Amino acid sequence: MIFKKVYIPINALEGKQNFEMWYEDGALFATAESDWASEKSIVNIIGRSGGLIARIKPDHKALEYAIRVDEYTYRLITHTIFKHYFFEGMKWQMYGSISNGNASFVNEDNGKKDCLIRTVDSFRHHGPCYEVKVKDLSKLRSAVSVVLGMMIKEHHKGLSTGENDPKASFIKKFKRNFLEVGVTYEELQKDPDATK
């Protein structure tokens, strides 16, 4: 039987402990391991057979995350926290937040939804979980890694890179990329347009 759904506990990051993720039949999918000290901590996703299947490694400011799945490395870019994310490499755009209950990753090339995320009140005896569902089984590890990266970013209320503005002047682009790198969550609370 082919399983295209994985369940991740919603409150997994609250305890700052390693946690498990499961297939829809309740079998172990993987375990997330880290020291959970800060947003900059490296997270290893260990498969049920004991091998490393993915690694989430934030950059030095925890602005973007390098996500290595199997032999490929992608980037999770947070344009505006709780509103807009981009997974470079898979070309997945996501508007909204996983904490809202329902979300999807849309492939920017063809406009199709490659991954759906929703919350379930109770998964078996594990309590409330995020359900990560993909259409193509080969994208399951990537999708779970991205959702976990977004959970970490939203849990720590980390920095946002800002939205891309193709009409921005050279000076504005230079300031955003080199001088004023990252917008804090507190700045977004004061000025919701700070990332535009």
Side-chain angles (χ1 to χ4, degrees), residues 6-7 19-23 27-32 45-48 51 53 144:
V6 169
Y7 293 85
F19 61 90
E20 296 178 340
M21 298 168 274
W22 309 276
Y23 286 110
L28 179 67
F29 168 71
T31 303
I45 301 174
I46 308 298
R48 63 181 173 179
I53 60 172
V144 169

Side-chain angles (χ1 to χ4, degrees), residues 3-139:
F3 297 113
K4 295 184 179 182
K5 294 180 187 175
V6 169
Y7 293 85
I8 305 170
I10 289 176
N11 59 357
L13 301 177
E14 298 297 325
K16 295 189 176 184
Q17 297 178 353
N18 298 340
F19 61 90
E20 296 178 340
M21 298 168 274
W22 309 276
Y23 286 110
E24 59 189 305
D25 69 342
L28 179 67
F29 168 71
T31 303
E33 297 180 353
S34 178
D35 63 3
W36 306 109
S38 70
E39 184 182 1
K40 295 179 183 180
S41 298
I42 295 173
V43 178
N44 293 319
I45 301 174
I46 308 298
R48 63 181 173 179
S49 61
L52 181 70
I53 60 172
R55 172 175 283 154
I56 302 170
K57 183 179 180 184
D59 63 11
H60 69 288
K61 290 185 77 174
L63 187 63
E64 297 176 354
Y65 296 166
I67 299 179
R68 183 171 176 84
V69 180
D70 298 323
E71 67 271 8
Y72 303 104
T73 302
Y74 307 104
R75 280 190 324 155
L76 175 61
I77 301 168
T78 305
H79 289 294
T80 305
I81 192 167
F82 294 107
K83 292 184 180 176
H84 181 205
Y85 300 87
F86 179 65
F87 190 49
E88 189 177 83
M90 297 296 279
K91 295 187 177 180
W92 285 343
Q93 293 279 356
M94 190 203 155
Y95 293 94
S97 168
I98 56 172
S99 60
N100 293 342
N102 291 317
S104 59
F105 296 144
V106 178
N107 187 315
E108 72 177 3
D109 285 343
N110 57 21
K112 294 183 179 177
K113 294 179 181 178
D114 284 344
C115 175
L116 301 170
I117 303 143
R118 69 182 185 104
T119 56
V120 292
D121 293 333
S122 181
F123 172 68
R124 301 198 178 251
H125 61 279
H126 302 296
C129 292
Y130 291 119
E131 178 187 82
V132 181
K133 179 181 177 184
V134 294
K135 293 180 181 177
D136 182 0
L137 187 61
S138 66
K139 297 177 181 177

Side-chain angles (χ1 to χ4, degrees), residues 121-172:
D121 293 333
S122 181
F123 172 68
R124 301 198 178 251
H125 61 279
H126 302 296
C129 292
Y130 291 119
E131 178 187 82
V132 181
K133 179 181 177 184
V134 294
K135 293 180 181 177
D136 182 0
L137 187 61
S138 66
K139 297 177 181 177
L140 185 61
R141 290 178 175 180
S142 300
V144 169
S145 301
V146 173
V147 170
L148 187 53
M150 291 169 59
M151 287 173 64
I152 293 166
K153 179 64 87 170
E154 292 182 1
H155 175 73
H156 291 284
K157 294 182 173 64
L159 295 173
S160 300
T161 60
E163 300 293 334
N164 291 330
D165 183 5
K167 297 178 183 177
S169 67
F170 173 77
I171 300 296
K172 187 173 181 180

Side-chain angles (χ1 to χ4, degrees), residues 61 63 160-163 165 168-183 187 194-196:
K61 290 185 77 174
L63 187 63
S160 300
T161 60
E163 300 293 334
D165 183 5
S169 67
F170 173 77
I171 300 296
K172 187 173 181 180
K173 288 179 184 177
F174 181 79
K175 283 174 73 176
R176 171 165 284 168
N177 293 328
F178 297 105
L179 301 178
E180 302 168 357
V181 179
V183 179
E187 291 172 341
T195 57
K196 293 185 177 165

